[in-house]
């Protein structure tokens, strides 16, 4: 970004809906994308207690439609780490019981925070959980 912040940028493929319609699939991708952006916006912490809980959820910085191109995008906190899927697939990394319990606890705290804001993760999987150090992060709501 202009201010030197690294972000994760999610952009809706502008031709995806058109291609889906050609295959007789009525996907409302633009509506789904906008709903995801609104849900992410609701996860922004408003006080110190919420900030502690929200540490497990990648924060959104901006969600908008570019006026010039019409592209819809979500600019979100970039979380450096590995997906839980990659960690589990790796033969060089073994989970010990204390590690798995801690990671599970972190994931549940993040889910509890999202649910307290009436946001349900629509695509919860090991591919959408990032591990960085001792924290589990959620992405792609």
């Amino acid at each position: 970004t202009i201010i030197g912040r690294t972000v994760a940028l999610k952009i809706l493929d502008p031709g995806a809906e058109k291609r889906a319609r050609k295959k007789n699939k009525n996907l409302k991708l633009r509506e789904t994308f906008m709903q995801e952006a609104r849900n992410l916006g609701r996860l922004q912490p408003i006080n110190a207690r919420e900030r502690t809980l929200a540490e497990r959820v990648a924060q959104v910085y901006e969600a908008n439609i570019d006026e010039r191109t019409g592209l819809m995008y979500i600019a979100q906190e970039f979380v450096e780490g590995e997906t839980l899927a990659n960690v589990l697939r790796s033969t060089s990394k073994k989970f010990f019981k204390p590690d798995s319990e801690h990671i599970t606890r972190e994931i549940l705290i993040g889910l509890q925070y999202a649910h307290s804001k009436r946001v349900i993760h629509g695509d919860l999987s090991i591919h959408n959980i990032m591990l960085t150090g001792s924290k589990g992060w959620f992405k792609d709501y």
Side-chain angles (χ1 to χ4, degrees), residues 35-61 74 76-77 109-122 137-141:
Q35 184 60 49
E36 179 179 349
R38 284 191 288 275
N39 285 343
L40 286 167
R42 291 203 322 254
L43 294 176
Q44 301 305 298
I46 58 172
N47 57 43
R49 180 184 174 280
E50 282 191 4
R51 267 192 296 282
T52 300
L53 296 172
E55 286 177 351
R56 287 112 179 139
V57 178
Q59 297 299 298
V60 67
Y61 298 128
I74 299 171
Q76 200 171 357
E77 179 179 5
I109 290 169
L111 282 175
Q112 180 182 18
Y113 174 70
H115 292 172
S116 77
K117 295 291 197 167
R118 301 200 185 294
V119 174
I120 295 175
H121 196 298
W137 294 74
F138 291 102
K139 61 178 190 160
D140 283 343
Y141 271 78

Side-chain angles (χ1 to χ4, degrees), residues 15-27 29:
E17 273 187 325
K18 190 181 281 187
R19 287 191 303 277
R21 272 190 235 110
K22 285 182 181 178
K23 295 178 181 179
N24 292 324
K25 294 181 180 176
N26 187 18
L27 301 177
L29 298 177

